[in-house]
Amino acid sequence: MKKLTFTIKKRAFAVMLIFAVVFTALSVRTGWIQFVNGKDLQRKAIEQQTKDSTINSRRGVIYDRNGKILAKSASVATVTVSPSQIAEAGNAQQVAESLAAILGMETEKVYSIITKNSAYEIVKRKIELEQADQIRALELKGVHLAEDSKRYYPYGSLASHTIGFVGTDNQGLNGVEMVFDKYLKGLPGRVISAKNARGTDMPFKYEKYINPENGANLVLTIDEVVQHFVEKHLEQAIADYKVTNGAACIIMNAKTGDILAMATKPDFDLNAPFQLNDPAVQAQIDLLEGDEKTQATSDALNKMWRNKAIVDTYEPGSTFKAITAAMALEEGVVSLGDTFNCTGALKVGPEVIRCWKAGGHGTLNFTQGVENSCNPVFMTIGARVGNSNFYKYFRAFGFTEKTGFDLPGEADSIFYPLDRFHEVELATASFGQGPTVTPLQMVQAYSALCNDGMMVRPRLAKELVDDDGNVIQTFDVEQVRQVISAETAATVRNILESVVSVGTSKSAYIKGYRVAGKTGTSEKVPRNNGKYVASFVGFAPANDPEIIGLLMLDEPMGDLHMGGQIAAPTFRKIFDDVLRYLNVEPQFTQEELASMDITVPAVEGFSKADAIKAFENSALNYRLVGDGDTVLSQIPKGGAALPEGSTVMLYTKETDTGDVSVPDVKGYTVSEANRIITNAGLNMKLDGAESTDGNSFVSSQSPAAGSTVPRGSVVNVELTYTDVH
């Protein structure tokens, strides 16, 4: 009996011990769940019982410096569905047909989306509000409309490489849209509502709304009008000179570094940034399949989005001679009166390096050496500067570091490794061949010449403002460093003005505006392949520069390829428009005043006697047609500008004005062209600098040869110079 009792007690103890162990384990587990995993499990429970929807914030507006909208966001909607709710309603086919009709999608595609085994699916993003209203009116269970925004670019392709674009989720993908994304995007809002396990509504109502915070608005230094001028003339230059590898131009405020315009051509439509701008390239890609097609599309898009002004490097050619001149003057190794003898080539070490002008320039002083862009002159003064000092100034002018500009992808320049920078390399580098730089670095370097030796950093962002126009943040003007003395900078400016007025850059001359600058023609590597980069860098007014400009045309394949022949005249057209738009005051010399065009008197409606009197004190000629007593019409009209000695046709009766055919004067000298046009009963007006030495010919005319115009009309002609580089 005692043995039985002991056995029972032993078993009871074992059971109690088991219960104690189990209880202890459960207690430990419960404690672990409650205190260690509690917050995580609570979060998962909330996630399971609630639906969290994002409300996109409105992306900030991008303005030009004058308040014109370059990029803005408009309200649109995104269509989402809850497949579980649609399944519960049992009308999936009806929903699919209704949505497909409104959204322009295939019914089968919509049906496959709304019948998925999930709680949330997106049917279509960024639909217009009109479509959203149509869907809302149907009151379809399980179909929801989320507020969204879509980016619009009012000017299409204007400044496309600078502004950039956004992706599907309104995140910046390129340009300032990407760089300033953290300011522009704002903070999204949220809607939290209670849902059951199937994703449908709970019996009780719970909803929490967190307002989105809109992004800040960005004001750029870009001027939409200046940008328009630049792009218009770039496009024309590409067409005229058959430029095959694109073109770039930068216009910058010389004192502040504000970029007024930055353009790369060809460009693309910001409202369709993933659509290739070259149909021929697209046609080639369409022939591919699979990964090969995907890669080809990606490569083509990246090339289209490439901003040549900051991403591409090039040999600056003779535009760099202004920098070499500044080095030599600052170091005191050359003076304006130093004389040189150019025989057409110079032996440097084992190499014979030629001047661009066959036969050479003969004897000339330093100023004339710059005006004529003489390579042997620059090789000589480069040797005087020396390798060490040359590299010191190359570095000081900012060519060994990025500018730190406000756009992505800025390239590094390329210079010789110092252990390979010898006599020959110094000689070629002195006239801009060998090292490569970006256009933006070149513009920044020229700012030191304009600002008495102080180099300024280019900037694109001016300030951030809120919706009421209050300034949130300002991006300051930044001076980089003093590179050369004010005296040296002034001397170089004076020389570069003479380069434009009488030297190899005279195609950039604009009467009254004191343009200074330098052309460049660099042969691309490998040499002797017939591919060049034609460029021009200049500023105005030379005595107190307000704007700097750089223009580059990459691989012109027409009859002309020299910087002085194609880059300088294009630059002149851009600067002529820009300087007048910015109301820069002209500074006419006595010679310019004497050769100014004369305004045609407006005499329509005048009596014959009064009309004749109006021309008495004018340097213009007139010709009366008809025997009436009143001038009924005139050609050209009053207010037009004509060169001295031009003839105005005055008609005193309703009669045929005697239309004439415009003669073809391309290829003729100025005097020959003027004689031909005058003999045809028309007037000639010269576009650009006049030629007095015969080293020029008419390269273009407007109206075109063969056009029919009224007698007395003006034919504008443009010259190309044969003695430029």
Side-chain angles (χ1 to χ4, degrees), residues 538-580:
F539 49 87
N543 58 319
D544 185 19
E546 294 194 30
I547 57 172
I548 306 171
L550 177 145
L551 172 79
M552 67 174 290
L553 304 173
D554 195 351
E555 297 185 13
M557 292 298 177
D559 296 332
L560 306 172
H561 69 270
M562 306 285 265
Q565 296 172 331
I566 64 177
T570 305
F571 179 92
R572 182 193 73 242
K573 294 170 186 175
I574 292 172
F575 252 43
D576 195 14
D577 283 341
V578 172
L579 289 167
R580 296 178 195 280

Side-chain angles (χ1 to χ4, degrees), residues 426-502:
L426 173 61
T428 57
S430 68
F431 58 82
Q433 183 175 297
T436 65
V437 301
T438 67
L440 190 65
Q441 285 177 319
M442 204 67 197
V443 169
Q444 178 181 259
Y446 265 65
S447 74
L449 306 178
C450 296
N451 292 304
D452 290 334
M454 176 60 73
M455 190 165 68
V456 297
R457 194 180 307 282
R459 69 167 186 166
L460 189 57
K462 187 177 181 182
E463 59 193 12
L464 296 170
V465 298
D466 62 20
D467 291 337
D468 296 322
N470 301 309
V471 177
I472 301 171
Q473 180 178 338
T474 299
F475 301 96
D476 296 329
V477 172
E478 185 179 351
Q479 294 181 333
V480 181
R481 57 181 161 267
Q482 188 77 27
V483 180
I484 52 177
S485 67
E487 181 182 2
T488 296
T491 301
V492 175
R493 289 199 302 270
N494 290 336
I495 295 174
L496 292 182
E497 183 178 10
S498 69
V499 171
V500 172
S501 58
V502 299

